[in-house]
Amino acid sequence: YLSDYFSIRSTIISRYASTHVQTVLRNTHPEAKEAIFDLDLPASAFISNFTITINNKFYVAEVKEKHQAKKMYDEARRQGKTAAHVGTRDRETEKFRVSASVSAGNQVSFELSYEELLHRHLGKYQHAVSVRPRQVVGNLTVEVSISERTGIDYVHVLPLRTSQTGGRGEWDADVPPSTRVEKGSHCAWIVFTPTPQEQAAFSSAGIMGDFVVQYDVALPDVAGDVQIYNGYFVHYFAPRGLLPVQKNVVFVIDVSGSMYGTKMKQTKKAMHVILSDLHPDDCFNIVTFSDAVHVWKAGRSIPATAHNIRSWKTVNQILLPFLPSGTDINKALLEAASVLTQSPLEPSPQRIPLLIFLTDGEATAGVTSGTRILVNARQALRGIISLFGLAFGDDADYGLLRRLALENRGVARRIYEDSDAALQLTGFYDEIASPLLYDVALSYRDGIDLTRTLFPNYFHGSELVVAGRVAPGATEFHIQTVSHGHNGQLSLENDISANATEAATFGCSLDLGQIGRFVQRLWAYFTIQDLLQARFRSNDTTARRLLIEKATNLSLKYNFVTPVTSLVVVKLEEEENATAQAIGTPDPPSLRREGSD
Ligand SMILES: *[C@@H]1O[C@H](CO)[C@@H](O)[C@H](O)[C@H]1NC(C)=O
Ligand SMILES: *[C@@H]1O[C@H](CO)[C@@H](O)[C@H](O)[C@H]1NC(C)=O
Ligand SMILES: *[C@@H]1O[C@H](CO)[C@@H](O)[C@H](O)[C@H]1NC(C)=O
Ligand SMILES: *[C@@H]1O[C@H](CO)[C@@H](O)[C@H](O)[C@H]1NC(C)=O
Ligand SMILES: *[C@@H]1O[C@H](CO)[C@@H](O)[C@H](O)[C@H]1NC(C)=O
Ligand SMILES: *[C@@H]1O[C@H](CO)[C@@H](O)[C@H](O)[C@H]1NC(C)=O
């Protein structure tokens, strides 16, 4: 197959990115052949449309409830309309793959759209698109436009990223060639159009990498930015210039036999960096565990003074794998909680208690029932301690860590076994190293159908986002923010006219309809994410079923492919021997790759 055309266009409006990918393939073989379209997309993205055009005939994929999609797919297969594919997980990306049979000399066009909310980490938003056409393409374009109502601070285009580990291709130096960046105060426009010669210079198979744009917004108002369109609102809250709150951090590190070797080396390297970066006002302690639990400084945390840290010595002394051994997650959690709940050494202002828990395995010693561990952890952490779970490698019980974190004010993250694991660990730590506020409660009089409004922590460089609807008839929108920080309680109140942003366009888009639609889609996207997360937290089957049903209804209404829906194309023309496609994202796929496609 020959590709004449490959284009990616992303429109980002207030952090909400809609991306459209199109590729045109021409069958140059003398007989009918399978054309394959595959693409990596971010795991948090929802596919919102997919179409195939063959011989000027248009086939739009339908989003269906997962089980119904499976039935349609099975039926299509029975009728001989073969083939299927499912996304597989690779780090933070989702693989989308579709094939269609096209007769000699004809061409096929694949068009995929997906949407995602960009999150702010360490003071930047990052948007990455996968550019992997697998050949040199006559006409290759990547175009990104960014519109931000409160202004754009900066825009950077990174060198093409050829692997998630940051590996680089031929052009390692800086911005890819044929990249143009135009930045205004509220609109930025980035276009990347490498010529066939430039693509060939990258590799004989053309460009294979992620085109990555980073930017940050200006947010001068401490109360953040509220946008209201068509009865939906979004509130971005990210006060700048606050002083960090001191923290009491306990690192709980798995030293069971399976950590031996590379994983332990990487963990030590990361801990060395992390300990060296602790603020002298912070307190810390280290708990190691296998089937036994060892607390470094018995009883409680100690101040993170240079004298106490001596990072390499400490790290080498403490992180000794106990061989061979089980994994007592329960006991390790309880010991760490007890360290954190001891009274501080000297009278001191409030310290935020953080528990960073790293394991590469499942609970195999002591209490091994996930349910009991969850109950025990909830009791021991008392709704005060924030738990961050790091699942190192494929054998770690990510499901348990995720629930532990969600139920205890934190988040869980996968750490991939790769050469950059130490960087992944320090990178995650950096995100939570500077807590600025805790127990942040946002409330909206006349706000309904709100997404999550309570946030245990607000870290430096991040952002809290709430979306919802404005009650019908409301003219004034009243927002109240209550939180705690370095100087005690911080309260803010704002009144915003409910039609304040209706009339104004901003950024690159002069289309009020487009700007108006984004808030509603963002609300739906966010609400579905919330519902799916609540499903993991809930242990009542009736409640779970209701959450799934709500998420399914919203996914269908907004045409989103989510963990509860799938995409199906079945009605291709007979002579083209259509392929039935079902794509499941991003949870355990309900369909396995079958048959010959
Ligand atoms: C999907 O894309 C096709 C072709 O671009 C378009 O005609 C159709 O309206 C889109 N559907 C939705 C739900 O956006
Ligand atoms: C479709 O299938 C028929 C019979 O199986 C075959 O003769 C024909 O060549 C196929 N057409 C394409 C485009 O694959
Ligand atoms: C490439 O695509 C763009 C956008 O569709 C079009 O304007 C341009 O004429 C195309 N160039 C070539 C060489 O096909
Ligand atoms: C908002 O509504 C008020 C009264 O309902 C009206 O006076 C004002 O002109 C409106 N503003 C905009 C920007 O539409
Ligand atoms: C889960 O179940 C336990 C006891 O079985 C109960 O104490 C707890 O409140 C439940 N949690 C939720 C979120 O329903
Ligand atoms: C979901 O949609 C179905 C069909 O429209 C409806 O019967 C059901 O009540 C909806 N469920 C929820 C939880 O909204």
Side-chain angles (χ1 to χ4, degrees), residues 505-517:
T505 62
F506 59 85
C508 320
S509 175
L510 298 174
D511 175 0
L512 196 57
Q514 189 184 33
I515 292 186
R517 270 189 305 278

Side-chain angles (χ1 to χ4, degrees), residues 546 549-550 553:
L546 190 67
E549 193 177 310
K550 275 191 187 158
N553 283 4

Side-chain angles (χ1 to χ4, degrees), residues 49 51 58 60 111 559:
N49 200 359
T51 59
F58 225 24
V60 182
E111 289 176 68
N559 212 48

Side-chain angles (χ1 to χ4, degrees), residues 109-294:
S109 158
F110 296 104
E111 289 176 68
L112 177 74
S113 304
Y114 61 87
E115 301 177 14
E116 75 185 305
L117 181 67
L118 307 179
H119 291 284
R120 188 163 181 261
H121 291 302
L122 297 172
K124 57 178 174 275
Y125 303 90
Q126 176 165 305
H127 181 61
V129 291
S130 171
V131 188
R132 291 176 172 80
R134 290 165 195 279
Q135 58 180 294
V136 170
V137 180
N139 197 339
L140 191 159
T141 313
V142 177
E143 191 182 327
V144 179
S145 79
I146 304 170
S147 303
E148 291 290 347
R149 200 176 78 101
T150 58
I152 300 171
D153 247 6
Y154 68 83
V155 173
H156 288 319
V157 176
L158 266 48
L160 274 199
R161 188 175 67 185
T162 51
S163 75
Q164 294 286 333
T165 58
R168 311 251 158 96
E170 294 304 310
W171 321 320
D172 46 4
D174 43 18
V175 174
S178 297
T179 300
R180 269 192 298 155
V181 178
E182 283 173 25
K183 182 188 163 302
S185 59
H186 296 75
C187 163
W189 185 74
I190 301 109
V191 63
F192 171 51
T193 49
T195 62
Q197 291 74 21
E198 285 165 336
Q199 295 171 48
F202 186 81
S203 90
S204 58
I207 292 186
M208 288 184 293
D210 297 322
F211 184 78
V212 184
V213 176
Q214 293 182 336
Y215 74 98
D216 196 13
V217 301
L219 199 57
D221 189 340
V222 70
D225 178 29
V226 180
Q227 299 181 33
I228 307 172
Y229 289 99
N230 303 334
Y232 290 82
F233 78 90
V234 58
H235 179 198
Y236 300 102
F237 181 68
R240 315 284 162 96
L242 299 174
L243 288 171
V245 187
Q246 291 163 9
K247 59 186 186 288
N248 180 357
V249 53
V250 171
F251 301 93
V252 185
I253 297 172
D254 189 340
V255 292
S256 61
S258 52
M259 284 287 291
Y260 190 73
T262 309
K263 275 190 279 189
M264 185 50 77
K265 249 188 234 150
Q266 292 169 328
T267 304
K268 280 187 179 179
K269 194 167 156 198
M271 283 306 294
H272 162 65
V273 174
I274 290 170
L275 293 182
S276 316
D277 284 352
L278 281 173
H279 194 275
D281 290 338
D282 291 337
C283 279
F284 79 112
N285 203 341
I286 301 174
V287 174
T288 53
F289 72 102
S290 52
D291 44 14
V293 177
H294 177 73

Side-chain angles (χ1 to χ4, degrees), residues 251-260 263-264 267 287-291 325-330 332-333 355-365 373 387-402 404 412-417 425:
F251 301 93
V252 185
I253 297 172
D254 189 340
V255 292
S256 61
S258 52
M259 284 287 291
Y260 190 73
K263 275 190 279 189
M264 185 50 77
T267 304
V287 174
T288 53
F289 72 102
S290 52
D291 44 14
S325 48
T327 305
D328 193 342
I329 288 178
N330 184 68
L333 280 171
L355 195 164
I356 301 180
F357 192 94
L358 179 141
T359 179
D360 72 337
E362 297 179 349
T364 58
I373 295 175
L387 187 158
F388 297 90
L390 297 171
F392 198 167
D394 290 339
D395 297 332
D397 189 348
Y398 179 68
L400 176 64
L401 286 184
R402 176 162 61 174
L404 276 169
R413 192 67 69 80
R414 287 179 197 276
I415 301 296
Y416 298 90
E417 266 186 83
L425 289 169

